[in-house]
Amino acid sequence: AQSVAQPEDQVNVAEGNPLTVKCTYSVSGNPYLFWYVQYPNRGLQFLLKYITGDNLVKGSYGFEAEFNKSQTSFHLKKPSALVSDSALYFCAVRKTDKLIFGTGTRLQVFP
Amino acid sequence: DGGITQSPKYLFRKEGQNVTLSCEQNLNHDAMYWYRQDPGQGLRLIYYSQIVNDFQKGDIAEGYSVSREKKESFPLTVTSAQKNPTAFYLCASSILTGNDGYTFGSGTRLTVV
């Protein structure tokens, strides 16, 4: 069965430090992978996606994600965190007609 | 601008009342989805529709109903049978095939009073 796992409920990082939010997936064939961000009382906003090609994908707000096929991972990264990056982050995988979402990781960036 | 609009932003329901949440999109997307989100938690799929006049139950359909009379519109009714309706409701839309993700609305917060 297709699934997505976000092993950390919360990630804490100091402003200016690099951040990583982890995601692993389980799907047959080639996956289409996505990251979304949700600010309080808002809908989910698209950050980036991996379809094919370069394993390092660049997205909005300075975020990037690294696709690793051998480890079935798609970790979200940012070289220097901002307090305004504090939000809920969702990883998702698309197979055929629906997205399968992870449970979400809350990122807290401290000044 | 193309997008997906949910209304109202906040909604209050009395015990025993049915309420309807609106979701409209002008993206020409075939598929539409309703999710429920409880505080600090992930998304749970309520219903989805891939074509007009057809829809399927998601993981937590009990106490909810939907209709899809127009491609652009996918309203969700929270019935009195839903015993714990207080939550944040998100609507989304997408194309049916290909490699795109979903476009989400800004959500409706429903509170039972």
Side-chain angles (χ1 to χ4, degrees):
Chain A
Q2 302 158 121
S3 66
V4 173
Q6 294 182 243
E8 302 153 317
D9 288 336
Q10 180 153 330
V11 170
N12 299 317
V13 64
E15 188 174 32
N17 283 0
L19 69 87
T20 299
V21 182
K22 296 180 180 177
C23 172
T24 60
Y25 65 91
S26 173
V27 64
S28 58
N30 295 319
Y32 298 150
L33 294 159
F34 302 81
W35 275 103
Y36 287 83
V37 60
Q38 185 183 29
Y39 298 100
N41 295 312
R42 303 294 297 274
L44 276 66
Q45 297 176 32
F46 170 80
L47 275 180
L48 51 80
K49 69 179 178 181
Y50 172 82
I51 304 303
T52 187
D54 287 341
N55 290 339
L56 187 64
V57 178
K58 293 190 183 297
S60 307
Y61 312 121
F63 283 93
E64 56 191 25
E66 186 170 11
F67 172 67
N68 188 316
K69 189 171 184 177
S70 62
Q71 297 186 4
T72 62
S73 67
F74 189 55
H75 299 334
L76 182 69
K77 300 181 179 184
K78 188 173 183 181
S80 178
L82 299 172
V83 172
S84 57
D85 292 330
S86 299
L88 189 57
Y89 291 81
F90 289 95
C91 181
V93 61
R94 178 161 186 162
K95 191 69 175 177
T96 60
D97 60 342
K98 286 202 294 295
L99 286 187
I100 309 298
F101 288 92
T103 52
T105 298
R106 184 163 300 283
L107 173 66
Q108 190 72 46
V109 181
F110 294 95
Chain B
D1 286 338
I4 182 166
T5 302
Q6 289 187 242
S7 63
K9 190 170 178 63
Y10 299 96
L11 187 57
F12 298 90
R13 192 194 92 167
K14 294 182 179 178
E15 295 281 352
Q17 253 185 354
N18 292 356
V19 291
T20 297
L21 284 60
S22 170
C23 179
E24 304 274 335
Q25 55 99 358
N26 61 4
L27 299 165
N28 200 33
H29 286 169
D30 289 305
M32 297 187 74
Y33 312 83
W34 274 106
Y35 287 90
R36 170 178 172 144
Q37 186 177 30
D38 292 286
Q41 296 192 22
L43 307 175
R44 292 188 288 171
L45 182 63
I46 305 172
Y47 268 99
Y48 65 101
S49 168
Q50 297 179 332
I51 194 170
V52 173
N53 292 323
D54 190 40
F55 46 83
Q56 286 78 42
K57 293 181 179 180
D59 302 317
I60 57 163
E62 186 174 351
Y64 300 96
S65 66
V66 293
S67 63
R68 187 87 187 276
E69 297 177 2
K70 299 185 302 181
K71 187 176 184 178
E72 301 80 15
S73 179
F74 191 42
L76 173 74
T77 297
V78 184
T79 74
S80 57
Q82 172 49 242
K83 297 307 179 189
N84 185 22
T86 295
F88 191 55
Y89 290 87
L90 286 164
C91 181
S93 68
S94 74
I95 60 172
L96 263 182
T97 58
N99 55 33
D100 278 348
Y102 293 177
T103 300
F104 282 85
S106 56
T108 293
R109 184 163 297 282
L110 174 62
T111 304
V112 173
V113 295

